[in-house]
Amino acid sequence: MTMRVHVKVRRFDPDTDQSPWWSEHDLDAEPSDRVLDVLNKIKWEQDGKLAYRRSCAHGICGSDAMRINGMNYLACKVLVKDLGSNITVEPLLGLPVIKDLIVDMELFFEHYRSIMPYLVNNDPVPTKERLQSPEEHERYDDTTKCILCAACTTSCPSFWATGDYLGPSAIVQAHRFIFDSRDQAAADRLDILNQSSGVWRCRTIYNCTSACPKEIKVTKAIGEVKKALLFNRF
Amino acid sequence: MAAASDGTLLQGLRYKGREGQWSWLLHRVAGLGVLLFLVLHIFDIFLIGFGRTTFEELLFLYHSPLGRLFEVFLIFAVLFHAVNGLRIIILDFWPGLMEHQQRLVWVEVVVFLIIFLPVAVITLSPIFTGA
């Protein structure tokens, strides 16, 4: 059954606007429509100037993270029926807005690159795979699911306070390699995360865990990194 | 990067975080409250320099109904900051418990109330009994 929805979108165009403003739209939507479908409808049928990122539209690429009804989600994963008839859409908080719902992700990716998000292993390259037991893989399996959408980092009050903080996502990525039995750079990564911009800025608030569209236990992963640093065990 | 001047602070307060966000915010406010009391406390102890009588005469402020209400707020702040801090410490040392973090907040609330309510009643009762 089609439902009538009222959508408020926080807009900002640096070329024409002094400050952000709200555009309001009334339209019909199916309860099973996703917020991304609603945004597409607005862009295609009502206001072609509306700007937002989307790519795969199936919760894999992580392009369309945004604040929906006050909380970070992927627009392609939230259904209209779970939000009701009033929907508010805003850009991610803590990153500069480029236009409307598009934020500048450069700082986010800078933090990502800083934790060496790649396998470091200086042993001679084996002729076959580098083997790992299922138990060894299980140790970091949860943090392999990150799609770099920034929903966690931009839900974190510590990151809002200072963009110097590497943020939950970068720590999750570091966790993925620190606890990988094949990797040899855990000490280097822990050293980076032990700086004032690292894990100790985490205040165990859990917004990141609630925001993660892949249901990664983000705060737990950060806690494990803190413990690895404290006891020098990983 | 993100600064209060661009509205991040106000927008942050509108963010729909759950128990973790609100207990963190209250933790900060309570911590600030305790710090402010400390300043006041240093000042009232300083008054003893003017002699015992001056000091004791001013103690009526703490015994007044408003003073007692203030003390209840102080107890609230100290106790909440302590109990919430313990919850965070427990979670930091046992990350495995983080999966139950929402339930732990409610355990914290119960522990807090068990201690806070009787102490608040004892502190406020002289206002009503006139003791």
Side-chain angles (χ1 to χ4, degrees), chain B residues 12-111:
Chain B
L13 286 172
R14 280 201 293 113
Y15 189 85
K16 286 203 182 123
R18 305 191 54 166
E19 293 89 339
Q21 177 174 318
W22 299 113
S23 57
W24 164 76
L25 199 61
L26 196 54
H27 191 84
R28 285 295 165 104
V29 172
L32 268 177
V34 173
L35 189 70
L36 284 176
F37 170 74
L38 193 66
V39 175
L40 182 70
H41 191 49
I42 290 169
F43 179 73
D44 68 38
I45 291 295
F46 157 78
L47 290 177
I48 207 161
F50 293 94
R52 184 176 169 167
T53 358
T54 320
F55 177 72
E56 283 185 351
E57 272 173 12
L58 281 167
L59 278 184
F60 84 92
L61 283 172
Y62 286 114
H63 293 150
S64 67
L66 207 64
R68 287 187 178 277
L69 198 64
F70 168 77
E71 277 177 345
V72 169
F73 276 110
L74 179 65
I75 294 161
F76 179 94
V78 171
L79 194 62
F80 180 81
H81 201 79
V83 179
N84 192 56
L86 279 174
R87 176 181 65 92
I88 300 293
I89 290 169
I90 289 168
L91 287 168
D92 271 345
F93 278 95
W94 288 278
L97 284 173
M98 289 192 183
E99 287 172 43
H100 309 287
Q101 58 95 4
Q102 272 167 332
R103 243 166 292 165
L104 266 174
V105 172
W106 294 108
V107 171
E108 175 196 330
V109 169
V110 170
V111 171

Side-chain angles (χ1 to χ4, degrees), chain A residues 58-170:
Chain A
H58 288 81
I60 303 295
C61 73
S63 302
D64 63 352
M66 52 189 78
R67 247 180 312 159
I68 299 166
N69 283 6
M71 212 183 142
N72 287 358
Y73 291 101
L74 292 184
C76 61
K77 279 196 81 174
V78 197
L79 302 184
V80 169
K81 68 176 175 189
D82 295 326
L83 295 171
S85 50
N86 287 305
I87 300 172
T88 307
V89 189
E90 298 165 89
L92 294 174
L93 190 56
L95 292 170
V97 175
I98 295 175
K99 192 183 173 193
D100 296 343
L101 301 172
I102 299 177
V103 292
D104 184 351
M105 301 279 280
E106 187 42 42
L107 180 68
F108 174 79
F109 285 116
E110 194 182 298
H111 291 333
Y112 168 62
R113 289 189 293 267
S114 75
I115 54 88
M116 307 158 67
Y118 39 81
L119 185 84
V120 178
N121 189 318
N122 296 318
D123 293 343
V125 179
T127 47
K128 288 188 184 173
E129 307 95 318
R130 296 179 200 272
L131 287 179
Q132 186 171 56
S133 71
E135 293 74 29
E136 284 171 330
H137 181 83
E138 186 58 34
R139 183 71 192 85
Y140 65 94
D141 181 64
D142 196 40
T143 44
T144 61
K145 294 185 278 182
C146 177
I147 56 172
L148 294 170
C149 67
C152 59
T153 295
T154 57
S155 74
C156 173
S158 297
F159 183 77
W160 298 336
T162 168
D164 293 340
Y165 174 39
L166 293 178
S169 177

Side-chain angles (χ1 to χ4, degrees), chain A residues 197-210:
Chain A
S197 57
V199 285
W200 307 116
R201 280 201 186 271
C202 166
R203 298 288 184 265
T204 329
I205 297 168
Y206 292 99
N207 277 5
C208 53
T209 305
S210 314

